[in-house]
Amino acid sequence: MKRKVIITVTSFLLVFLLLLATYKLMNSRTYQLFGNITKQVETTQKVVALTFDDGPTENVNMILPLLEKYHAKATFFLIGEEIETHPDEAKKIVEQGHQIGNHTYSHNRMVFKTPSYYKKEIEKTDLLIRNAGFKGEIDVRPPNGKKLIGFPYYLKKHHRDTITWNLEPDSYYSLATDKINYVQENIEPGSIILIHPMYDKTDNTLQTIEGILQELSNEGYTFVTVNELQDM
């Protein structure tokens, strides 16, 4: 009886540890089993990459003037389905000299899927990005940053990096002032900042973006694309 209890407890503990390890791996911003992952670039230059996930939506038309005002370049990780719905907004991003990244076609979590599923999600979106006019290297960011084995392996086979982030103000705060302060207090040269501005119909996101652009510009930071940041 005692032996059965020990076996049961040990089995439960092993399963728990396995699930915990899987969860940690899936959500890690700094580690994956295959290929390269970038959350930040080591540099002494005061440069940062401002990245926007999801969309494109009509909000692009409000974001682009802000970037132009501060002479900033950004990286937009776009969803394939949304590019099909808003092709003009995607083209405007390219025309303004910004980078477009691949955020998959459906925005489903890239875990526990087949190799053919990953291939379709990435390649279909790549084609839409090229049709929008973007000619540079297409970086990839998995939806919600979640990945396990199959997705990173697919990217490694095709010599593609996984781009994550080291600053995510939207995840911790709701007020624009708090988000701006968070970025100011934690910014480092080579940081990659994540913001989700596409579906917010209030002024909160625009205030956040302009606040970050203004405050970091005042501190001497330059805003570059992820591709430019990696070249450093």
Side-chain angles (χ1 to χ4, degrees):
M1 182 66 180
K2 184 178 179 180
R3 186 184 175 198
K4 287 184 178 180
V5 171
I6 293 174
I7 292 174
T8 300
V9 171
T10 302
S11 299
F12 176 81
L13 181 60
L14 290 174
V15 170
F16 173 78
L17 291 175
L18 178 61
L19 291 174
L20 179 62
T22 299
Y23 177 81
K24 292 287 188 181
L25 178 62
M26 179 176 67
N27 290 284
S28 176
R29 305 286 180 257
T30 59
Y31 179 78
Q32 59 188 19
L33 294 177
F34 299 101
N36 296 322
I37 184 169
T38 301
K39 73 154 188 174
Q40 183 178 2
V41 170
E42 294 295 328
T43 179
T44 57
Q45 299 181 58
K46 297 189 80 171
V47 292
V48 296
L50 190 58
T51 67
F52 304 115
D53 276 13
D54 306 336
T57 66
E58 293 84 357
N59 284 9
V60 166
N61 299 311
M62 295 181 288
I63 297 168
L64 291 179
L66 285 179
L67 296 174
E68 184 177 12
K69 178 180 177 181
Y70 291 91
H71 308 290
K73 295 303 178 185
T75 302
F76 292 74
F77 285 95
L78 302 183
I79 301 168
E81 286 182 330
E82 292 282 20
I83 297 176
E84 287 182 329
T85 305
H86 300 92
D88 290 341
E89 279 69 25
K91 290 176 182 177
K92 288 177 184 177
I93 291 170
V94 177
E95 289 168 358
Q96 293 283 328
H98 303 290
Q99 179 184 348
I100 294 183
N102 190 320
H103 204 38
T104 73
Y105 180 78
S106 66
H107 200 258
N108 291 328
R109 292 184 179 183
M110 295 295 109
V111 295
F112 305 121
K113 301 291 195 301
T114 64
S116 62
Y117 184 88
Y118 299 132
K119 174 182 171 69
K120 181 179 179 181
E121 286 281 317
I122 293 300
E123 294 185 3
K124 191 171 181 179
T125 306
D126 278 347
L127 181 59
L128 291 165
I129 291 172
R130 292 304 185 203
N131 289 342
F134 183 70
K135 301 185 183 302
E137 180 181 349
I138 302 177
D139 289 316
V140 179
R141 175 176 284 167
N144 307 116
K146 298 185 184 300
K147 68 278 174 294
L148 276 173
I149 299 174
F151 191 68
Y153 181 72
Y154 168 84
L155 295 181
K156 181 179 184 298
K157 281 204 311 180
H158 294 83
H159 312 289
R160 310 278 289 270
D161 290 348
T162 302
I163 305 299
T164 56
W165 58 88
N166 68 306
L167 294 178
E168 46 185 316
D170 292 342
S171 298
Y172 305 117
Y173 302 100
S174 57
L175 296 179
T177 52
D178 292 333
K179 295 178 183 181
I180 297 164
N181 290 336
Y182 160 80
V183 171
Q184 276 189 284
E185 292 170 0
N186 294 279
I187 196 67
E188 296 176 340
S191 287
I192 298 177
I193 305 169
L194 165 63
I195 299 178
H196 293 86
M198 292 298 172
Y199 307 112
D200 188 348
K201 300 302 181 182
T202 70
D203 290 333
N204 182 63
T205 296
L206 294 177
Q207 291 173 6
T208 298
I209 294 172
E210 182 156 27
I212 290 172
L213 288 168
Q214 184 174 45
E215 296 302 329
L216 295 190
S217 294
N218 290 342
E219 293 181 21
Y221 279 94
T222 301
F223 295 88
V224 299
T225 66
V226 169
N227 277 343
E228 291 171 331
L229 190 64
Q230 287 180 300
D231 287 341
M232 297 179 180

